[in-house]
Structures are given as C-alpha cells and as structure tokens.
Amino acid sequence: MFNGNQPNIHIIFMSEAIKLAKIAYKNEEVPVGAVVVQNNRIVGKGYNQVEMMGDPTAHAAMIAISAACSTLNQKYLTNCSLYVTLEPCPMCSGAIVWSKLNRVVFGALDQRAGGAGSIFNITSNNNLNHQAEVIHGIMEDDCKDLLKSFFKNKRK
C-alpha cells in the first residue's frame, strides 16, 4: 500500500480511472479503467473491452496507452504517467516498458497476474531497456470494492 499522504494529483487522476472502470462494469467487463497523463492533462483513456471487442488484448491500460500515443502522435510516452485501477498484467506491463512511460500509479494489487511488482516485476526490471516508477495503493479500497462487487454479481 502507498505510505504517507496521497498527493491530491494521484487522487484526481485515479478518480478518473475509477469512472472509466465503472463504465466497464456497466458493460459487463471486468471493471478496470486507466488514464495516461502528461503535464496534469489526460491524453489517453481506456477501460476493459475484452468481451465487447472479443479481443484478449483490449485491456484498459493497453487502450489508454494507444490513445495517448495517438493523441500525442508519438510512440514513446516518456513524460507521461499511467493511472490504472488494477495492477497491470504482464502484457500491459510490457507495453508500459516499450512505450517508456515514466510512472505507473495503480490502486489494487493483482495477486493472480500482476506484472508491476506482485507476481512479476516487469515494469522495474533492470534487464529491460526501460523502467517505470511504480506507486500502488492509491484509492486501493475503492478499486478493490469495485472488483469484488463485479465478481460477486457474476457468481450469482
């Protein structure tokens, strides 16, 4: 969990990611949302669309990264941060490294498939060509509660 006071900026952008996760929830997708931020401005947004698109790569972080690259008309996001409600999976963590994001801020750990520190540590692996700063635990309970509610309803 994130220690110390949570800077307001992290709360602001994680709140935006949570809003997107709620859209995914309403669409019966796993409720994960993500935003890419540059200079305190959102330049990319995404929420899980795996079921809707029939595409296993349509994760919130992947969509947000693609949107940011399109908005900025560049393949590297070196001056950007990714805010995502759930710890990025290995695929998304690879995209974080390849896009050279400076920072990843996430809410809930993914103890089953996390790629940013819980199971794998792809985002900070010194063997790769880029490492991203990782901050986790921002609005963690809100992010966890959304996921728990979704899976509880799925089991009914």
Side-chain angles (χ1 to χ4, degrees):
M1 182 184 284
F2 182 73
N3 293 321
N5 294 328
Q6 295 180 1
N8 285 339
I9 200 76
H10 293 327
I11 301 297
I12 290 167
F13 292 120
M14 188 60 72
S15 294
E16 292 300 314
I18 289 171
K19 287 178 189 175
L20 292 164
K22 289 178 179 178
I23 295 171
Y25 191 118
K26 287 178 185 168
N27 290 327
E28 298 185 21
E29 297 277 356
V30 176
V32 178
V35 295
V36 175
V37 175
Q38 182 186 61
N39 299 324
N40 294 327
R41 180 176 73 96
I42 294 174
V43 294
K45 296 179 180 183
Y47 57 87
N48 273 1
Q49 297 178 45
V50 171
E51 301 302 324
M52 184 175 69
M53 296 177 78
D55 180 352
T57 69
H59 288 197
M62 299 291 282
I63 293 168
I65 289 168
S66 292
C69 290
S70 180
T71 298
L72 299 173
N73 196 31
Q74 59 190 43
K75 66 178 179 178
Y76 296 129
L77 303 172
T78 53
N79 297 315
C80 298
S81 297
L82 172 70
Y83 288 81
V84 61
T85 57
L86 181 64
E87 178 181 2
C89 72
M91 173 184 67
C92 294
S93 294
I96 288 162
V97 170
W98 288 114
S99 65
K100 300 183 187 288
L101 278 154
N102 279 0
R103 178 182 302 119
V104 179
V105 181
F106 65 88
L109 289 167
D110 185 345
Q111 298 294 347
R112 293 185 180 158
S118 64
I119 303 296
F120 302 102
N121 195 4
I122 296 165
T123 53
S124 300
N125 188 317
N126 288 326
N127 294 314
L128 299 174
N129 70 330
H130 177 77
Q131 296 79 43
E133 174 188 8
V134 175
I135 299 170
H136 67 89
I138 304 296
M139 299 182 72
E140 183 176 22
D141 290 339
D142 297 289
C143 297
K144 280 183 181 178
D145 290 346
L146 196 55
L147 288 160
K148 285 178 185 177
S149 174
F150 175 80
F151 286 110
K152 182 179 178 182
N153 286 337
K154 275 290 197 199
R155 286 190 290 272
K156 286 184 180 179

